[in-house]
């Protein structure tokens, strides 16, 4: 049987995958980011299986914070979420636990500061390094995925309403789809 021609030169994909796993020898935190519904948790689960790293889905911190600060306390909720996430990342770094951290990230000033705080924690650990994995897909795929029942698993508080997603996209001028690309980022 004939094989379809590859879009990449022979061996390039294999080289990228092998390079990725070699880089993991020197990484303490893999930051998986992209727009809502792109599959960050799905990729994180698979990476955890392959690497033995612990998955820290950012949505895990939302329910306890919402219990203390309901939706009308947005600034307090935001500060507490950030603080809780950084505390958990710091504890993992101090204990030598490698993490995969997922987050929607569009590169605003608050996002930039938060990611820098994470990098500072990780890189303050002897030999600590961070790796960035950016996920992207078409808007059509995101809209198809946003209301998939898998996004309601574990009771995680994720955006699961197509109308809400479209409203947010309209409010932000589709900025939610934009992600910052770091040096050495692995794009999937």
């Amino acid at each position: 049987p004939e094989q379809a021609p590859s879009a990449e030169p022979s061996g390039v994909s294999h080289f990228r995958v092998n390079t990725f796993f070699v880089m993991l020898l020197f990484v303490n935190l893999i930051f998986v980011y992209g727009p809502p519904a792109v599959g960050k948790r799905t990729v994180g689960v698979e990476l955890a299986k392959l690497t033995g790293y612990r998955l820290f889905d950012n949505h895990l911190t939302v329910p306890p914070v919402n219990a203390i600060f309901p939706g009308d306390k947005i600034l307090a909720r935001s500060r507490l979420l950030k603080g809780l996430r950084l505390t958990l990342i710091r504890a993992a770094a101090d204990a030598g636990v490698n993490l995969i951290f997922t987050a929607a990230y569009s590169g605003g000033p608050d996002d930039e500061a938060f990611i820098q705080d994470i990098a500072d924690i990780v890189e303050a650990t002897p030999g600590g390094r961070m790796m960035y994995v950016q996920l992207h897909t078409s808007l059509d795929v995101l809209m198809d995925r946003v209301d998939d029942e898998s996004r309601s698993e574990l009771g995680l508080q994720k955006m699961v309403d197509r109308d809400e997603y479209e409203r947010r996209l309209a409010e932000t001028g589709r900025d939610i789809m934009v992600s910052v690309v770091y040096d050495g980022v692995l794009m999937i």
Side-chain angles (χ1 to χ4, degrees), residues 1 33 76 78 87 91 94 151 169 183:
Y33 68 103
S78 178
T87 297
D94 290 346
R151 292 183 50 76
L169 289 172
D183 289 338

Side-chain angles (χ1 to χ4, degrees), residues 94-115:
D94 290 346
V97 174
N98 295 324
L99 291 179
I100 298 163
F101 180 69
T102 67
Y105 170 58
S106 60
D110 291 340
D111 285 348
E112 282 293 324
F114 179 61
I115 301 310

Side-chain angles (χ1 to χ4, degrees), residues 7-160:
E8 295 184 318
S10 176
V12 171
S13 291
H14 182 70
F15 173 76
R16 286 184 183 157
V17 170
N18 286 339
T19 302
F20 174 73
F21 284 107
V22 167
M23 289 173 66
L24 290 179
L25 297 173
F26 308 102
V27 173
N28 299 96
L29 186 138
I30 301 171
F31 176 51
V32 180
Y33 68 103
V38 75
K40 296 176 294 293
R41 184 175 195 289
T42 301
V43 169
V45 166
E46 294 304 313
L47 275 174
K49 288 177 189 175
L50 290 169
T51 62
Y53 284 28
R54 307 268 173 83
L55 176 60
F56 179 8
D57 182 330
N58 77 89
H59 293 96
L60 294 171
T61 57
V62 176
V65 170
N66 280 348
I68 298 168
F69 292 100
D72 62 333
K73 306 287 187 195
I74 293 173
L75 185 57
R77 282 181 64 238
S78 178
R79 286 182 182 155
L80 186 56
L81 280 169
K82 177 183 176 185
L84 181 56
R85 291 167 181 164
L86 291 174
T87 297
L88 291 168
I89 289 168
R90 183 174 289 109
D94 290 346
V97 174
N98 295 324
L99 291 179
I100 298 163
F101 180 69
T102 67
Y105 170 58
S106 60
D110 291 340
D111 285 348
E112 282 293 324
F114 179 61
I115 301 310
Q116 186 59 55
D117 289 344
I118 293 172
D120 291 346
I121 290 168
V122 171
E123 292 167 4
T125 305
R129 294 189 55 196
M130 223 166 122
M131 179 178 201
Y132 302 88
V133 177
Q134 178 190 30
L135 304 182
H136 56 93
T137 191
S138 70
L139 182 58
D140 291 337
V141 170
L142 292 175
M143 296 310 287
D144 287 344
R145 286 182 47 84
V146 75
D147 56 6
D148 187 272
E149 64 184 51
S150 68
R151 292 183 50 76
S152 300
E153 289 177 353
L154 306 175
L156 300 177
Q157 299 192 357
K158 296 182 170 195
M159 188 184 318
V160 293

